[in-house]
Each structure stands twice: as structure tokens, then as C-alpha cells.
């Protein structure tokens, strides 16, 4: 199974909104920074032989330091991940022709926060 692991916690929707309101360019800078970070991890995985069979569903497992952030705010970071996948050449486009659905799971790992992105194969849906 193909899996990309991005170390650390990505910004939540609330953090992104706060940046938008603080400065005209702050949210764009934040998006650019975290898209580039996700791209680095995606490219490293791709170079190690990770391939996804498009179209497919993606499973995101979000490991955070604690339970303080709401799940919907955490999952907002998919935007950074998918744009990073495109930038790294792992994904041609993040439209619905390539991505047919998402599954999100949430867990706490205070020592190793991260997001793991797996391809959900047909067998796993049955």
C-alpha cells in the first residue's frame, strides 16, 4: 500500500483564518509555506517508490499533540497536502476525476504529530 507521511502538525482552519485577518498576505504566505513542506514529503515518498493509482479515495490519519483542535479544523489542511502532492508530481490534478473521496481518522501522538495519507483500494471499501 502506498503511504505518504508528513511530520509535524499542519495549520488548522482557525489558524489560517487568523492569518488572513492579521495581514493581507499572511494567509498566502502560510499556504505557500505548508504546500511546499507537503511537497517535500510527497516528493521524497515518490522518490522512494510510493505511487497512487488515480482515481482513488484517500485516507488521512491525523496525529496531533493533543485533543484541543476540532476534527473539521484539522482536516482543512488537506488543501496543503493535495496542493503539495500536485507540486511534487505525485498527483496530476486534485479534481474529482482523480480523487473520488476522503476518509479521516484522528489520533493523539504527543511525541510524533504527523499526517499519514494512504490510498484506499477497492478491496478496502467492500
Amino acid at each position: 500500500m502506498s503511504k505518504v507521511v508528513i511530520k509535524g502538525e499542519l495549520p488548522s482552519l482557525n489558524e489560517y483564518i487568523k492569518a488572513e485577518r492579521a495581514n493581507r498576505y499572511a494567509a498566502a504566505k502560510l499556504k505557500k509555506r505548508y504546500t511546499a513542506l507537503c511537497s517535500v514529503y510527497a516528493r521524497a515518498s515518490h522518490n522512494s517508490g510510493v505511487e497512487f493509482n488515480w482515481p482513488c479515495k484517500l485516507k488521512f490519519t491525523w496525529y496531533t499533540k493533543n485533543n484541543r483542535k476540532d476534527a473539521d479544523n484539522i482536516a482543512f489542511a488537506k488543501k496543503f497536502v493535495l496542493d503539495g502532492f500536485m507540486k511534487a508530481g505525485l498527483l496530476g490534478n486534485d479534481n474529482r476525476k482523480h480523487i473520488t473521496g476522503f476518509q479521516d481518522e484522528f489520533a493523539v501522538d504527543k511525541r510524533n504529530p504527523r499526517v499519514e495519507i494512504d490510498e484506499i483500494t477497492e478491496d478496502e471499501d467492500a
Side-chain angles (χ1 to χ4, degrees), residues 86-111:
M86 289 189 336
K87 186 174 181 177
L90 193 61
L91 170 62
N93 196 317
D94 61 358
N95 63 22
R96 289 170 51 187
K97 288 182 182 177
H98 291 82
I99 300 171
T100 59
F102 298 111
Q103 177 183 334
D104 290 296
E105 293 185 5
F106 302 89
V108 173
D109 186 342
K110 56 179 141 184
R111 293 189 179 173

Side-chain angles (χ1 to χ4, degrees), residues 1-78:
M1 176 182 284
S2 296
K3 181 191 290 189
V4 174
V5 178
I6 299 168
K7 296 186 182 288
E9 284 191 46
L10 299 174
S12 69
L13 177 58
N14 288 342
E15 291 164 329
Y16 184 79
I17 290 170
K18 183 178 178 183
E20 262 185 331
R21 291 178 179 168
N23 178 295
R24 186 174 176 175
Y25 304 104
K29 185 177 178 181
L30 187 112
K31 182 183 179 302
K32 184 176 180 179
R33 176 181 173 197
Y34 283 98
T35 296
L37 175 73
C38 293
S39 175
V40 167
Y41 283 105
R43 189 173 295 115
S45 297
H46 188 61
N47 290 342
S48 298
V50 171
E51 295 277 339
F52 287 83
N53 297 308
W54 308 107
C56 71
K57 292 181 182 177
L58 296 176
K59 176 185 173 191
F60 287 77
T61 307
W62 306 92
Y63 293 90
T64 56
K65 293 177 185 175
N66 54 47
N67 280 322
R68 292 185 185 156
K69 293 179 185 175
D70 293 342
D72 60 336
N73 286 325
I74 296 167
F76 158 79
K78 278 186 191 105

